[in-house]
Amino acid sequence: MKDHSAVPLAVEPAPAPARQRRRLQAGRHVTPYLLLIPALAVIGGVLGYPLFRLVTLSFQEYGLPELIAHKGRWIGLDNYREIFSDRWFWTVLGRTIAFTAVTVGLTMLFGTLIALLLARLGTFMRLLITTGLVLVWSMPPVVAVNIWSWMVDFEFGVLNWTLAQLGFESYAHHDWFVNPIQGWAIITAIIVWGAIPFVAITIFAGLTQVSGELVEAASIDGANAFRIFRDITLPILKPIFVILASLSVIWNFQVFTQIWVIRNARPEDDYFLLSIYSFVESFNTSQYGLGSAIALVMVLAMLVVTFVYIRQMVRIGEID
Amino acid sequence: MRLRMFATAVLLIALAIAAASATGASQASPARAQADALTVWLMGDAQANWPEAVAAANQSFKSQHPGTDVNVQYQSWGDYKTKFEATLSAGSGPDVIEFGNTDVPKYSAAGALAPLTRSDFPNSGTWLSGLTKAGSYNGKLYAVPYYAGARGVIYRTDQYQQAGITKTPKTLAEFNAAMAKLMKKFGGSKNPTYSAVYFPGRYWYAAMSFVYDYGGQIATTKNGKWVGALNSPKALSGLTAWRNVARSFSRANKTGDEAHPQQALVFAKGKVGSFVGNGWEWPYALDPKLGNPSLSNKIGAYPMPSHTPGKYMPTFLGGSNLGVPVTSKQKALAADWIAAFTNTANMTRMATGGGVIPNTTSLAKINAAKPTLAPFAEAAKYSWFVPSTPNWANVESANVLQSMLSGILRNPSKTKELATAASARITEILNSR
């Protein structure tokens, strides 16, 4: 690993007067930070202030009367006490963790498989599949979920119709959300479908780092495809996997839109995730303090994962 | 080096100026426009069913107040409360807003609406008592009655005839017998998706009618506290009666409701014998684009019969009220617009064109005279309403009744447990601060 601190001194032009040299070094260090100020100001305004408000709201009682008076009532940790002593919160938290684990696992699996496929295809097919992936990726979530919702509709959905045509008569009028397992299967399919393109394309880009000679040498030595993947591809791609997994966990933990739209803005208890619980508490029962506390708990849970993600990003930066 | 620093500084200043002027410009224009325009939030129903009434109100208001424009914005039932609360927080919002009558107590109790003077509004002496009660709190009026809706059974006269049903049912027992005849003639294995009466699982407005018909209630007061009462013996009889109707004669979605898809449109597709609907759902089934206009002489309606001979099953007295938010800066103008919108001429338009019950008993003659309105006005003679407490809106938002009902349809043996659990939740929510 190079020692960065040693480099500037090594390339400094030799007979420079002391005052000029100091100004040179000072200028080079300040400019990047000056250029960062507009971006930081925007981030501070758009993200920082609402986060600050979220934290302060979570320690207040803030219902409808307080909303109108623009003044909350400080109750300290009461909101948090209420959340953590509520069995429903722990149920929803457990379900959110399980949902995140399953969706991230499936996304990484299918994303990797598709990326490996892309690496072996000819140009035309690769272009076709990549175009398909990008089209999926670019579709706004609300539009996509509405169409999915129609496809699995009870009365007029194409999925029920197809199954009935194929001979499964009992599916002619099948409500996919009566049984939570079937309902979650549909929702998981929607989430994974939307998440695969990013993962697949990123891993495909990463696969270009795997040198062809190494793979050839390994296959001459008698390694099969699985061993090549496990012993050569995986170690090289590990940083990318860590980053993608972290991002996927952060995104899937917060899933809200898909479930909200497909249950017509009134999700049953079986379909509650933390994000929905927070929204319902805030906007449906107008308990903004309680909803903020739940949201903050989500943020803190994600901080752990974010830490892993940022540490990995920094590590990659150091390698370069 | 100096040049580079200078260039950086210029760039930063330019960006800052651009950002400031952008926000400045966008803030200036709306403020100027708001001072002149009256903002009115109505539901999409008004745009679809009585646009002439809205236009007439705007015209009459303009002639009274020539300098003020009216900006009518149509909302959807799903998210209008969230939008309204956001405007409360911002301190600026609509000047007039339409509420569902079950939602008004929550906002009037919290002080979100400005008090109004009853005598300022037309026909206020003969307003429907149900709507007036919903729009008042602690003796003051906060939201003006707009229109009411009562539900009746809308049915296919040709299908009833073919199934051998000669007269419309007058008791619940006759109703069940008629449904059985319909299922025998049109449903069963020949047509597994046919419903004699289309009854989605979460349609609580119609399902709770059974509870009230058997003498039960959603909640009662005891020593000043609310207690959920869905697990009382009478309520359970009602729920069981409803469960039998829905499971035997309906093939509608057990976890669906009456609006997704719109039940009138499913009825129009032909595989439904009858459904429990509002007056406006009759013309909606005949909509040229979404419904089936060829059914126009094959539809009728009758009040849902009670299990007690000689009475009707109590119908939910739905409806809307119009209020003036406390954040409005033109409260007097807002009240004038409401008065222009709810005058006798407009009420007549809404009743005849839109098929709803006007807000005053003085126009009851219109209801009785029109064949598409008379059955619903007749059904309104026996009605029920939700517990009148500000926290009721939260019970609706928490889906307590809907979840209980769809749970009962899916697990009929668990009716008592589900009713008890729902009662406990209602008690908790209604008594919360």
Side-chain angles (χ1 to χ4, degrees):
Chain A
M1 218 49 112
K2 290 194 218 163
D3 180 9
H4 285 266
S5 55
V7 172
L9 287 170
V11 297
E12 186 115 277
R19 215 187 313 136
Q20 256 187 357
R21 199 191 314 150
R22 234 178 293 138
R23 216 187 256 151
L24 254 164
Q25 287 184 336
R28 204 178 303 140
H29 285 279
V30 168
T31 317
Y33 294 105
L34 280 182
L35 286 171
L36 276 176
I37 289 176
L40 284 176
V42 172
I43 291 176
V46 173
L47 292 181
Y49 178 68
L51 187 61
F52 168 72
R53 279 299 273 144
L54 192 78
V55 173
T56 51
L57 268 181
S58 68
F59 294 114
Q60 295 177 8
E61 164 111 33
Y62 211 87
L64 200 48
E66 286 84 9
L67 185 73
I68 296 169
H70 292 106
K71 200 170 147 54
R73 198 163 63 89
W74 283 94
I75 53 171
L77 291 171
D78 276 358
N79 281 330
Y80 292 96
R81 261 182 228 123
E82 195 179 325
I83 296 171
F84 291 126
S85 61
D86 186 7
R87 240 173 43 140
W88 179 236
F89 169 77
W90 293 107
T91 312
V92 172
L93 176 64
R95 186 185 298 149
T96 313
I97 292 175
F99 171 75
T100 309
V102 170
T103 45
V104 171
L106 287 175
T107 309
M108 296 302 294
L109 175 68
F110 286 113
T112 312
L113 288 176
I114 292 179
L116 289 171
L117 176 68
L118 279 177
R120 278 158 184 64
L121 286 175
T123 321
F124 176 67
M125 283 306 291
R126 183 184 306 161
L127 198 59
L128 204 62
I129 294 189
T130 313
T131 310
L133 288 173
V134 172
L135 284 174
V136 169
W137 193 3
S138 60
M139 187 176 268
V142 174
V143 173
V145 179
N146 265 304
I147 297 177
W148 274 95
S149 177
W150 271 110
M151 289 193 343
V152 300
D153 185 64
F154 170 84
E155 196 82 41
F156 304 118
V158 75
L159 184 59
N160 285 350
W161 179 85
T162 310
L163 286 172
Q165 298 294 101
L166 289 175
F168 299 97
E169 289 300 335
S170 63
Y171 281 89
H173 241 195
H174 185 77
D175 181 3
W176 291 92
F177 294 95
V178 167
N179 182 347
I181 296 179
Q182 288 179 359
W184 279 114
I186 303 269
I187 294 172
T188 306
I190 298 175
I191 304 290
V192 170
W193 169 86
I196 284 179
F198 177 65
V199 172
I201 292 178
T202 310
I203 294 180
F204 174 59
L207 281 176
T208 56
Q209 285 186 10
V210 178
S211 78
E213 294 110 26
L214 210 53
V215 174
E216 250 192 81
S219 61
I220 287 173
D221 283 344
N224 63 12
F226 178 67
R227 282 209 68 186
I228 292 177
F229 178 77
R230 193 189 68 179
D231 295 330
I232 298 176
T233 317
L234 204 53
I236 296 177
L237 287 185
K238 184 157 166 278
I240 295 185
F241 275 128
V242 171
I243 289 177
L244 286 174
S246 313
L247 283 176
S248 292
V249 166
I250 294 173
W251 289 333
N252 289 359
F253 197 73
Q254 301 168 52
V255 160
F256 172 84
T257 313
Q258 286 84 345
I259 300 178
W260 192 255
V261 173
I262 208 167
R263 294 319 295 145
N264 289 321
R266 290 190 173 274
E268 291 90 336
D269 287 350
D270 288 325
Y271 297 105
F272 261 55
L273 291 184
L274 267 186
S275 50
I276 295 179
Y277 184 34
S278 172
F279 185 86
V280 166
E281 280 306 309
S282 301
F283 294 100
N284 283 3
T285 50
S286 301
Q287 286 301 318
Y288 296 99
L290 194 60
S292 301
I294 299 169
L296 201 57
V297 168
M298 283 180 72
V299 170
L300 291 172
M302 285 298 93
L303 264 182
V304 175
V305 187
T306 314
F307 173 70
V308 171
Y309 164 68
I310 292 183
R311 198 177 59 160
Q312 187 62 54
M313 287 290 283
V314 171
R315 271 215 198 116
I316 286 192
E318 283 171 4
I319 291 172
D320 287 341
Chain B
M1 199 40 52
R2 237 189 236 147
L3 185 61
R4 209 189 291 174
M5 285 213 58
F6 179 68
T8 310
V10 168
L11 185 65
L12 285 175
I13 294 171
L15 283 170
I17 294 176
S21 57
T23 42
S26 60
Q27 277 170 2
S29 23
R32 227 173 289 133
Q34 265 173 22
D36 295 338
L38 193 80
T39 312
V40 175
W41 282 14
L42 290 179
M43 288 304 156
D45 309 336
Q47 193 184 30
N49 299 326
W50 46 84
E52 336 81 65
V54 179
N58 289 345
Q59 235 180 355
S60 143
F61 178 81
K62 281 287 272 293
S63 58
Q64 256 190 307
H65 305 278
T68 314
D69 283 328
V70 181
N71 178 11
V72 179
Q73 295 171 357
Y74 293 103
Q75 310 297 324
S76 72
W77 285 106
D79 60 3
Y80 82 100
K81 286 183 282 182
T82 311
K83 285 175 79 171
F84 177 54
E85 289 187 23
T87 67
L88 286 176
S89 173
S92 74
D95 299 294
V96 176
I97 176 169
E98 172 184 348
F99 282 103
N101 57 356
T102 54
D103 291 329
V104 184
K106 174 178 177 181
Y107 294 99
S108 45
L113 299 175
L116 303 166
T117 318
R118 193 163 166 165
S119 51
D120 287 346
F121 301 98
N123 295 321
S124 52
T126 48
W127 276 343
L128 293 179
S129 62
L131 289 180
T132 316
K133 196 156 164 244
S136 311
Y137 186 73
N138 273 352
K140 292 209 193 109
L141 180 72
Y142 287 97
V144 173
Y146 175 8
Y147 69 87
R151 285 170 170 84
V153 181
I154 302 177
Y155 71 106
R156 287 283 299 270
T157 50
D158 56 335
Q159 287 187 15
Y160 272 44
Q161 230 173 12
Q162 288 173 36
I165 304 165
T166 43
K167 338 177 258 119
T168 58
K170 295 286 183 292
T171 66
L172 190 58
E174 282 178 32
F175 179 81
N176 287 341
M179 295 302 111
K181 281 189 191 161
L182 279 172
M183 289 306 273
K184 192 154 170 244
K185 174 88 182 152
F186 297 105
S189 49
K190 291 171 273 173
N191 210 341
T193 61
Y194 175 82
S195 296
V197 58
Y198 181 82
F199 223 128
R202 292 162 109 183
Y203 191 12
W204 64 279
Y205 298 107
M208 286 295 117
S209 292
F210 283 80
V211 169
Y212 281 87
D213 187 46
Y214 277 78
Q217 290 184 67
I218 294 177
T220 53
T221 38
K222 219 172 253 165
N223 301 333
K225 293 196 89 187
W226 287 96
V227 180
L230 287 169
N231 51 345
S232 70
K234 289 186 178 164
L236 285 174
S237 314
L239 286 174
T240 311
W242 164 77
R243 186 188 75 202
N244 293 338
V245 169
R247 279 181 63 90
S248 317
F249 308 124
S250 168
R251 295 290 167 266
N253 192 347
K254 294 191 172 83
T255 63
D257 62 24
E258 74 280 12
H260 301 93
Q262 286 283 359
Q263 53 179 3
L265 299 180
V266 182
F267 173 75
K269 290 238 183 304
K271 287 197 177 161
V272 171
S274 20
F275 72 103
V276 181
N278 262 311
W280 60 265
E281 295 185 68
W282 182 336
Y284 194 50
L286 302 172
D287 184 85
K289 267 196 282 198
L290 303 166
N292 188 353
S294 67
L295 293 176
S296 57
N297 55 351
K298 297 183 190 150
I299 300 187
Y302 58 90
M304 180 75 187
S306 165
H307 78 289
T308 323
K311 293 167 90 173
Y312 306 128
M313 188 175 281
T315 179
F316 175 69
L317 205 59
S320 289
N321 292 51
L322 294 160
V324 178
V326 76
T327 50
S328 164
K329 299 188 178 47
Q330 304 166 91
K331 296 192 178 68
L333 292 178
D336 285 345
W337 190 90
I338 296 178
F341 190 50
T342 55
N343 61 18
T344 309
N346 269 350
M347 280 294 137
T348 313
R349 286 190 186 100
M350 289 180 211
T352 47
V356 292
I357 299 176
N359 66 358
T360 165
T361 53
S362 57
L363 291 175
K365 294 189 293 335
I366 304 181
N367 308 345
K370 207 167 181 278
T372 53
L373 201 53
F376 305 98
E378 182 71 14
K381 288 191 176 147
Y382 297 87
S383 64
W384 64 273
F385 198 62
V386 296
S388 40
T389 158
N391 283 334
W392 174 257
N394 295 340
V395 174
E396 276 190 43
S397 304
N399 287 329
V400 181
L401 293 177
Q402 292 96 322
S403 305
M404 175 192 75
L405 292 172
S406 67
I408 290 177
L409 282 191
R410 290 184 276 141
N411 304 301
S413 52
K414 288 202 179 150
T415 304
K416 187 149 183 212
E417 289 169 51
L418 290 165
T420 311
S423 295
R425 263 189 103 172
I426 290 176
T427 307
E428 186 197 333
I429 296 178
L430 288 184
N431 290 319
S432 66
R433 186 224 150 267

